[in-house]
Amino acid sequence: FTHEKSYAEAISAFQHSLKLNPDNHISLGFLGCLSGDNELFKRSTAILEKRMAAGSQFPDLYNDYGKILLLHGDFAAAETKLRRALELHPGFLEAKINLATVLDVQRKHEEAITNLIEIKEKNARNYVLLGQSLYALGRFFHARFCLAQGQRLYPDYPGVRDRLSELEKFLFGV
């Protein structure tokens, strides 16, 4: 829901999730960030910190923490947690994509690109993020290719159609 910017639906889904499991750190963190409820965000991070302090070496926890921090806007801390997830499990696809997202937001585009290129089997999200990073660096032809690949895999990927149209006008005068 958050990816497609259906925030009302996302908030409803997270609220429902918390009725089923009040300690769901993802639902607490995302709901706290989306609704502006800092207490929910703090509860989420406290749960994660407690699990990590108990010696948990599950990369999923670090990835979840990174995603929550990314949504909260704490990009440096998100980067640290996502890098830890990848130390624990170097092939963790979601953590690689989330790290690339954080790097892109921090304008570390070259590193984001390097991180994404390492992924062998790319999905729409990979291609779109790669295209965004390439675009930010002015590598428009390559950006267009990656965005087109992302759109081919997920035709309704938010914002891609408009960005492709913009690039085609710029590159080809179409």
Side-chain angles (χ1 to χ4, degrees), residues 46 54 101 125 146 150 170:
T101 301
R125 188 171 167 207
C146 290
F170 176 76

Side-chain angles (χ1 to χ4, degrees), residues 26 30 48 52 59-75 77-83 85 98-99 102:
I26 284 287
F30 277 35
L48 285 161
M52 289 173 192
D60 297 46
L61 288 178
Y62 290 91
N63 182 59
D64 290 349
Y65 206 165
K67 290 189 300 189
I68 292 165
L69 291 167
L70 169 63
L71 188 59
H72 193 253
D74 190 348
F75 307 125
E79 181 180 345
T80 300
K81 297 299 182 196
L82 293 164
R83 287 190 188 281
N98 290 329
L99 177 59
V102 168

